[in-house]
Amino acid sequence: MLLFVVVLVLVVVALVIYNMWINKKLKDFRNLNDKITGLNVLQDFMSTISEYSTVDDKIQKINDILIENYDIKYSTIVVFNGTEYTVKASNVEQKHWETLKNLHEEEIFADSISTAMPKYVTVNNEGERLPYQKMEFGRAKSAIFFPLYIDNVYIGYWIIESGIISAFDDMDTTILEVVKDNIISVLKTVEYQNVIENIVRVDKFSNLYTAEYLYGKGKEIIDKYITSTVAMFNIINIEEINDKYGRKIGNEIISKISEKVKENISSQYIFVRYMGPKFVIVFSGIDLDGVVAFIDELKEQVEKEAIKHEVKRKDGKSRVINIKPKLNFAVTTYYKGTALENVTKKLEEYLDSADANESDINNI
């Protein structure tokens, strides 16, 4: 009998040890799985930065990645731009966005924002609603609010929600903190691009977008193709025209050239006023060999465009003269995924260093 008891105790002890070993293995597996998921999410984030051109597209895609990988019911990213709060990404119905973009005003989240610490809220029964909910009962029953900071500067918040009571009780907040840090990293990365997109203007003389358009919306169009040809041209006699006949005539020349080029190029190509007398045409998806002959013809046509100007002679009589532009072109190849701004800078440097009388098409 004693032997049976001893054997039974040994079996129980062995089972307990085995159970502890299994639990440790499961915990290790979960940790490993969480790390793999985290790495996959980070990789997806980095891919999103390069694949999606506009800031809004990038942030929306990031939000979709979070929802898919972490099985989150609702996820919303709200950014403060210095003057107002904007919902940058959300899978919540738009009718609730007014509430979601004003969570900074809720007393329940005030400490979270001031201390940069997440805040977890949940209801205790189905009849309750979360403190920030104004007109809804059934959508969310629990939520975690994450304030977002870039270099100790508050820039908004990320909130995840669930329709289940106490849904996040067992969720590893450490993982969510890592996810939050990744969101901040992406927002920081696209901060410069956001500035570029917001300062795009239409030039009043050429009626073309300014150069900033190239690096935002324009790049989204260009990067649909593996390679494209970038051409920059300079009106090399614009200073002479301004000095001799006045800036008004110079502006008319710019308007005339812009109209003529727009008439002759496809709408799928990007045409912008780069800076001063320099313009850029991006022939999306067209290789350099297929462009040079066209540019040669375009240059010839544009240089025939003339502004008629009446000048007075010394004897008091007047005569009409034709003022024509003179262009110098530089062209090169752009490859998808590379820095377009470096390509345009290289073309600009060439045109700036070219001989003052050079009027040609140069492949660089």
Side-chain angles (χ1 to χ4, degrees):
M1 183 68 179
L2 182 60
L3 181 61
F4 175 75
V5 172
V6 172
V7 172
L8 186 60
V9 170
L10 290 173
V11 170
V12 170
V13 171
L15 288 172
V16 169
I17 294 172
Y18 179 73
N19 188 54
M20 291 172 64
W21 181 79
I22 289 294
N23 284 334
K24 184 178 183 303
K25 287 295 183 183
L26 287 173
K27 185 177 180 181
D28 290 343
F29 176 77
R30 281 195 295 269
N31 288 338
L32 179 61
N33 187 59
D34 289 340
K35 288 178 181 178
I36 292 171
T37 299
L39 287 172
N40 288 337
V41 169
L42 182 58
Q43 186 177 15
D44 288 343
F45 278 11
M46 294 305 101
S47 297
T48 296
I49 291 175
S50 60
E51 290 176 5
Y52 288 79
S53 293
T54 68
V55 170
D56 288 344
D57 280 345
K58 288 174 182 177
I59 298 176
Q60 184 60 57
K61 179 61 177 177
I62 287 164
N63 203 48
D64 293 342
I65 291 169
L66 296 175
I67 293 164
E68 180 180 347
N69 282 273
Y70 294 102
D71 196 25
I72 296 170
K73 179 67 174 176
Y74 302 111
S75 176
T76 301
I77 299 172
V78 177
V79 173
F80 179 60
N81 64 11
T83 58
E84 62 180 355
Y85 286 80
T86 305
V87 175
K88 282 294 184 181
S90 182
N91 65 328
V92 178
E93 287 184 87
Q94 198 162 352
K95 64 182 180 181
H96 301 304
W97 286 14
E98 192 63 32
T99 297
L100 290 170
K101 75 176 184 179
N102 288 301
L103 296 182
H104 60 284
E105 297 176 353
E106 297 292 331
E107 186 178 348
I108 194 170
F109 298 129
D111 286 344
S112 178
I113 293 173
S114 62
T115 61
M117 296 296 290
K119 177 72 175 181
Y120 178 30
V121 292
T122 186
V123 300
N124 296 314
N125 58 66
E126 291 294 336
E128 294 181 34
R129 65 180 174 183
L130 295 172
Y132 61 85
Q133 293 179 318
K134 309 300 181 185
M135 302 174 60
E136 49 182 323
F137 286 91
R139 186 181 66 82
K141 297 296 182 184
S142 54
I144 307 181
F145 177 93
F146 296 90
L148 304 176
Y149 281 78
I150 292 180
D151 299 331
N152 296 321
V153 176
Y154 172 66
I155 54 116
Y157 49 85
W158 171 44
I159 184 168
I160 59 174
E161 302 170 289
S162 173
I164 300 171
I165 298 172
S166 303
F168 304 114
D169 284 4
D170 299 322
M171 180 168 278
D172 188 346
T173 55
T174 305
I175 295 173
L176 291 178
E177 281 290 331
V178 173
V179 173
K180 182 202 73 174
D181 290 342
N182 288 336
I183 293 173
I184 291 170
S185 296
V186 173
L187 290 175
K188 190 173 182 178
T189 301
V190 301
E191 185 177 18
Y192 169 73
Q193 184 182 342
N194 193 41
V195 172
I196 291 295
E197 289 179 5
N198 287 331
I199 62 175
V200 171
R201 297 290 184 270
V202 174
D203 174 61
K204 66 178 182 178
F205 296 115
S206 63
N207 202 29
L208 300 173
Y209 284 119
T210 53
E212 293 79 14
Y213 178 82
L214 277 176
Y215 313 122
K217 191 66 177 177
K219 196 169 187 294
E220 182 180 4
I221 298 168
I222 298 164
D223 278 354
K224 291 178 181 177
Y225 307 91
I226 302 299
T227 61
S228 297
T229 297
V230 182
M232 181 181 290
F233 67 84
N234 185 24
I235 309 171
I236 59 176
N237 62 338
I238 194 70
E239 289 186 15
E240 180 187 349
I241 291 171
N242 287 338
D243 290 342
K244 278 188 177 181
Y245 310 111
R247 190 167 293 274
K248 183 180 177 182
I249 296 297
N251 290 336
E252 287 183 34
I253 287 285
I254 288 171
S255 298
K256 194 93 169 179
I257 290 172
S258 303
E259 289 172 11
K260 190 64 178 178
V261 173
K262 278 192 288 187
E263 285 175 10
N264 284 275
I265 64 172
S266 167
S267 59
Q268 78 180 67
Y269 303 146
I270 310 297
F271 180 35
V272 300
R273 185 173 184 182
Y274 182 76
M275 187 182 298
K278 298 186 188 77
F279 295 76
V280 170
I281 310 170
V282 181
F283 297 89
S284 313
I286 307 299
D287 61 34
L288 204 142
D289 290 339
V291 166
V292 173
F294 171 77
I295 290 178
D296 191 47
E297 184 180 340
L298 178 66
K299 179 178 183 297
E300 186 180 343
Q301 289 185 30
V302 170
E303 289 182 337
K304 288 179 180 177
E305 292 295 307
I307 296 292
K308 294 187 180 301
H309 180 59
E310 186 177 297
V311 293
K312 286 188 177 180
R313 299 188 306 197
K314 290 182 180 180
D315 60 5
K317 295 181 179 180
S318 61
R319 64 187 179 93
V320 175
I321 60 171
N322 290 325
I323 303 170
K324 296 180 180 181
K326 195 175 181 182
L327 310 182
N328 192 20
F329 270 85
V331 297
T332 192
T333 300
Y334 165 75
Y335 298 92
K336 178 181 177 179
T338 59
L340 181 58
E341 62 272 21
N342 289 343
V343 172
T344 54
K345 184 68 176 176
K346 182 173 70 171
L347 294 172
E348 180 185 14
E349 288 173 352
Y350 175 82
L351 291 176
D352 284 343
S353 62
D355 185 275
N357 296 315
E358 180 182 292
S359 178
D360 210 339
I361 298 172
N362 300 278
N363 178 7
I364 64 172

